Amino acid sequence: MTTPDPVTERIKALTDWRGDTLHRVRGLIREALPGVQESVKWAKATSPGVPVWEHAGIICTGESYARAVKLTFPRGASLPDPAGLFNASLDGNARRAIDLTEGATLDEAAFRDLIRAAAAANEQAQAARKKPRRT
């Protein structure tokens, strides 16, 4: 018997449009970055947790709210976004988010590009942390 995948279980628990949206977004993330690491983080008694996609660090999280699915990119402010996908958390110095409401469309090609850019930014940051500092 296999252990249930926590991301699949979290998405299945959302039995409305939010579950459908997270399922679709998950597929796009996997297309853009085969082998992406998935987990559910920050689960506690009052919250079932948040799906998280990682490659050399967090690429994005997928939070569900009553009126939106929020995809938060911790390094979003430094990512190219020529299609203007980011529509939330625009005032911060680091993160940016995409709020998807019921019936919203998503430019799938631009989203896959954004996922790849986030993974590349994580790799660059990780490499920079590993370089010895010159004194």
Side-chain angles (χ1 to χ4, degrees), residues 110-123:
F111 184 73
R112 285 189 295 267
D113 288 344
L114 189 61
I115 292 297
R116 288 188 284 268
N122 285 353
E123 288 174 352

Side-chain angles (χ1 to χ4, degrees), residues 24-133:
R24 183 171 44 99
V25 165
R26 181 189 200 188
L28 294 172
I29 293 169
R30 288 173 157 186
E31 286 174 19
L33 202 61
V36 67
Q37 294 176 342
E38 300 178 313
S39 63
V40 172
K41 294 189 179 201
W42 309 295
K44 53 189 176 188
T46 57
S47 168
V50 176
V52 177
W53 291 273
E54 297 181 83
H55 175 84
I58 294 176
I59 295 170
C60 73
T61 64
E63 300 167 88
S64 59
Y65 296 97
R67 297 178 190 245
V69 169
K70 180 180 285 291
L71 305 170
T72 302
F73 291 72
R75 297 183 188 280
S78 65
L79 299 177
D81 182 23
L85 296 178
F86 290 129
N87 61 5
S89 303
L90 300 175
D91 296 333
N93 292 333
R95 95 190 140 119
R96 295 284 184 270
I98 302 169
D99 280 359
L100 298 171
T101 56
E102 186 172 8
T105 59
L106 180 64
D107 181 333
E108 294 182 357
F111 184 73
R112 285 189 295 267
D113 288 344
L114 189 61
I115 292 297
R116 288 188 284 268
N122 285 353
E123 288 174 352
Q124 290 171 350
Q126 189 177 66
R129 285 190 302 269
K130 290 182 180 179
K131 285 185 180 177
R133 293 186 181 176

